[in-house]
């Protein structure tokens, strides 16, 4: 007969989500639905009519984990809409702070999954290493961005300030320390992920999390709007993906690229730029570990290239034509993150939309948990490091445009 298994809330990620799993008599997932049940905040709607400069400030509040990623996507979208070209050193600093955000976020995810994979005897040393890495990364965000949580230096047209020669030197040496810690982290974690063995001795299925969908990544460490055709992106409502009783609870759209679902994130970047072909949930964790070293090496390259006396902010006016939807693309910790904005001749926002990394991954997670026993579904979810609040951008309506579940608006 089979049955429906609901896991609510799913844990050790940001935001509120649930799993609805239709399983057979053996407990194997025949249909898997992973959905956001986080209440809608309506950021895109309340941005309309506001000055363009308010957008990066507001979208940094999507959640507390990815403020840098959303600010970068936002300013890039507005610059594209207004034909603004930031100075080279402003872009270098922007890439550096985006990298530092990932250098901060990845170890946090590794800490969150440590109860699954890191034996108790190693836990203290592991957490100490994670905290050292996060402290270094947060220092870089703080210095380059002007503040650790909602960095105000990320501006339309570049970055508000350059860093000093002294700060550059200090960040470089901190990166060298991070590089050493990243190597230790890789050497410790990758064999554990490759063994697919939990701390309780349970071996995860070899094909756990396998899927045949596509991958999207535009740049190994930053983002490139020219590397994607946004006209091929289509967002569907939950009613077109989930069964109705499930769709009524969901608060994210379902995006496709060229008609297909697509995974984004560290594994997608590694597949595109580093010929990484591994499949399954553990491969995502492995790619995320390897990416630590890629990120810190690029951070040091940026510091070598940066002119601390260079101009960082364009003085071009923030004025659009009210019609062109500018596109901002950033490779966030969780993957391909896009914002679109149209700006009128007074510098106000007339259109805003964000399709963030976890919005892409939510439907892929739904499918990736099918075919394995339901008791392993949570390990697939966590491998994607979902950030649910960032992904929550819609109100559930029926086909006549009426809101069908008002409680999610309160």
């Amino acid at each position: 007969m089979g049955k429906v298994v609901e896991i609510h809330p799913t844990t050790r990620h940001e935001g509120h989500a649930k799993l609805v799993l239709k399983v057979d008599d053996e407990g194997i997932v025949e249909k898997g639905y992973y959905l956001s049940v986080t209440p809608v905040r309506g950021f895109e709607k309340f941005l309309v009519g506001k000055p363009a400069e308010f957008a990066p400030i507001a979208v940094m509040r999507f959640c507390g984990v990815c403020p840098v990623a959303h600010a970068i996507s936002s300013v890039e979208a507005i610059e594209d809409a207004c034909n603004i070209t930031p100075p080279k050193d402003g872009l270098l600093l922007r890439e550096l702070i985006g990298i530092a955000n990932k250098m901060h976020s990845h170890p946090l995810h590794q800490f969150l999954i440590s109860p699954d994979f890191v034996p108790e005897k190693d836990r203290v040393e592991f957490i100490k290493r994670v905290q050292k890495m996060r402290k270094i990364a947060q220092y870089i965000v703080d210095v380059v961005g002007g503040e650790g949580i909602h960095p105000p230096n990320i501006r339309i047209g570049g970055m508000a300030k350059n860093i000093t020669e002294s700060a550059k030197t200090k960040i470089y040496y901190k990166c060298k320390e991070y590089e050493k810690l990243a190597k230790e982290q890789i050497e410790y974690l990758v064999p554990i992920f490759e063994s697919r063995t939990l701390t309780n001795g349970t071996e995860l299925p070899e094909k756990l999390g396998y899927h045949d969908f596509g991958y999207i990544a535009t740049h190994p460490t930053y983002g490139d709007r020219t590397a994607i055709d946004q006209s091929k992106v289509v967002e569907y409502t939950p009613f077109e993906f989930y069964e109705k009783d499930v769709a009524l609870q969901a608060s994210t759209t379902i995006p496709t690229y060229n008609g297909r679902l697509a995974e984004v994130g560290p594994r997608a970047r590694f597949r595109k730029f580093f010929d990484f072909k591994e499949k399954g949930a553990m491969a995502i964790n492995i790619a995320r570990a390897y990416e630590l070293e890629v990120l810190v090496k690029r951070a040091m390259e940026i510091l070598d290239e940066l002119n601390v006396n260079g101009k960082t902010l364009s003085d071009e006016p923030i004025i659009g034509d009210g019609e062109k939807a500018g596109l901002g693309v950033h490779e966030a910790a969780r993957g391909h993150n896009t914002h679109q904005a149209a700006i009128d001749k007074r510098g106000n926002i007339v259109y805003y939309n964000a399709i963030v990394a976890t919005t892409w991954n939510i439907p892929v997670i739904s499918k990736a948990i099918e075919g394995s026993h339901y008791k392993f579904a949570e390990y697939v979810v966590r491998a994607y490091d979902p950030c649910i609040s960032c992904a929550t951008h819609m109100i559930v309506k029926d086909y006549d445009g009426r809101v069908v579940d008002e409680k999610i608006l309160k």
Side-chain angles (χ1 to χ4, degrees):
M1 290 292 291
K3 62 180 180 179
V4 176
V5 176
E6 289 196 7
I7 301 173
H8 182 213
T10 52
T11 59
R12 287 188 263 148
H13 60 68
E14 196 282 334
H16 302 285
K18 71 188 297 185
L19 277 165
V20 181
L21 310 172
K22 296 191 174 183
V23 306
D24 66 14
D25 291 339
E26 305 299 319
I28 303 300
V29 179
E30 295 179 326
K31 280 283 185 182
Y33 298 122
Y34 182 59
L35 60 150
S36 166
V37 291
T38 297
V40 174
R41 282 81 48 81
F43 274 86
E44 286 107 325
K45 287 297 180 187
F46 76 65
L47 280 173
V48 173
K50 303 290 194 309
E53 293 91 334
F54 180 59
I57 296 170
V59 300
M60 278 195 275
R61 274 74 179 175
F62 278 175
C63 83
V65 182
C66 327
V68 169
H70 292 304
I72 292 174
S73 294
S74 180
V75 296
E76 293 259 340
I78 295 167
E79 288 160 2
D80 186 35
C82 300
N83 298 316
I84 295 171
T85 303
K88 176 186 173 183
D89 291 304
L91 288 174
L92 286 171
L93 287 169
R94 196 184 280 173
E95 183 179 353
L96 179 59
I97 193 173
I99 285 172
N101 183 213
K102 289 186 274 286
M103 288 165 59
H104 186 263
S105 182
H106 282 1
L108 172 61
H109 174 259
Q110 290 162 346
F111 164 73
L112 290 174
I113 64 173
S114 63
D116 298 333
F117 296 104
V118 177
E120 185 70 32
K121 64 181 178 60
D122 297 340
R123 197 76 55 78
V124 172
E125 286 305 311
F126 178 82
I127 292 172
K128 283 182 178 177
R129 185 164 60 241
V130 163
Q131 292 298 71
K132 287 178 183 175
M133 296 169 77
R134 284 169 50 77
K135 185 176 180 180
I136 291 170
Q138 191 70 353
Y139 174 84
I140 300 171
V141 173
D142 201 357
V143 171
V144 177
E147 183 184 318
I149 305 301
H150 299 122
N153 287 350
I154 302 173
R155 299 283 183 86
I156 301 166
M159 295 287 285
K161 298 177 181 177
N162 210 323
I163 58 175
T164 65
E165 188 67 45
S166 172
K168 176 179 171 178
T169 302
K170 193 168 181 179
I171 290 173
Y172 191 89
Y173 281 104
K174 285 186 175 293
C175 284
K176 293 297 290 184
E177 183 183 353
Y178 191 100
E179 185 180 34
K180 178 175 177 292
L181 294 165
K183 287 180 179 176
E184 291 175 9
Q185 192 81 329
I186 292 166
E187 289 171 1
Y188 180 78
L189 282 177
V190 170
I192 290 177
F193 295 143
E194 288 176 337
S195 76
R196 294 180 282 105
T197 304
L198 302 174
T199 52
N200 63 10
T202 301
E203 187 173 322
L204 297 173
E206 182 180 358
K207 294 188 176 181
L208 181 68
Y210 272 37
H211 68 73
D212 293 318
F213 300 111
Y215 297 86
I216 296 177
T218 63
H219 191 278
T221 56
Y222 187 58
D224 181 359
R225 71 171 68 93
T226 67
I228 188 167
D229 182 352
Q230 194 67 10
S231 69
K232 295 181 178 178
V233 177
V234 177
E235 288 184 273
Y236 293 94
T237 72
F239 288 102
E240 295 165 288
F241 185 78
Y242 301 111
E243 295 179 10
K244 185 177 179 181
D245 58 333
V246 178
L248 286 170
Q249 306 168 63
S251 49
T252 61
T253 60
I254 309 298
T256 62
Y257 187 70
N258 218 9
R260 298 186 70 200
L261 300 179
E263 178 185 313
V264 301
R267 194 238 304 264
R269 289 190 283 265
F270 262 61
R271 283 186 74 92
K272 182 152 187 180
F273 299 106
F274 300 98
D275 197 30
F276 184 80
K277 299 189 184 304
E278 300 300 317
K279 300 183 72 173
M282 292 306 100
I284 304 173
N285 290 330
I286 291 169
R288 186 178 292 108
Y290 282 135
E291 193 167 59
L292 293 170
E293 200 166 22
V294 172
L295 293 169
V296 72
K297 284 183 180 298
R298 176 58 187 153
M300 289 188 284
E301 288 174 2
I302 290 171
L303 291 167
D304 286 337
E305 196 174 345
L306 179 70
N307 174 9
V308 295
N309 298 312
K311 183 178 180 180
T312 60
L313 190 64
S314 168
D315 51 12
E316 296 172 274
I318 305 170
I319 296 173
D321 60 11
E323 295 183 0
K324 179 183 178 182
L327 176 64
V329 177
H330 181 64
E331 288 294 330
R334 289 155 194 81
H336 179 75
N337 185 54
T338 62
H339 288 219
Q340 287 181 282
I343 311 299
D344 67 16
K345 293 179 180 177
R346 297 180 301 169
N348 291 331
I349 299 164
V350 295
Y351 169 77
Y352 206 93
N353 188 47
I355 307 177
V356 311
T358 294
T359 311
W360 286 99
N361 281 339
I362 280 177
V364 175
I365 294 170
S366 296
K367 295 298 183 185
I369 55 183
E370 295 177 356
S372 296
H373 197 281
Y374 73 85
K375 68 181 180 181
F376 298 125
E378 61 181 308
Y379 305 107
V380 178
V381 171
R382 291 194 193 113
Y384 284 86
D385 190 16
C387 193
I388 303 299
S389 293
C390 291
T392 301
H393 294 280
M394 69 166 295
I395 298 167
V396 180
K397 295 182 177 180
D398 65 14
Y399 288 110
D400 296 321
R402 296 171 299 198
V403 175
V404 297
D405 193 352
E406 292 190 11
K407 66 184 180 186
I408 64 174
L409 300 175
K410 296 177 181 177

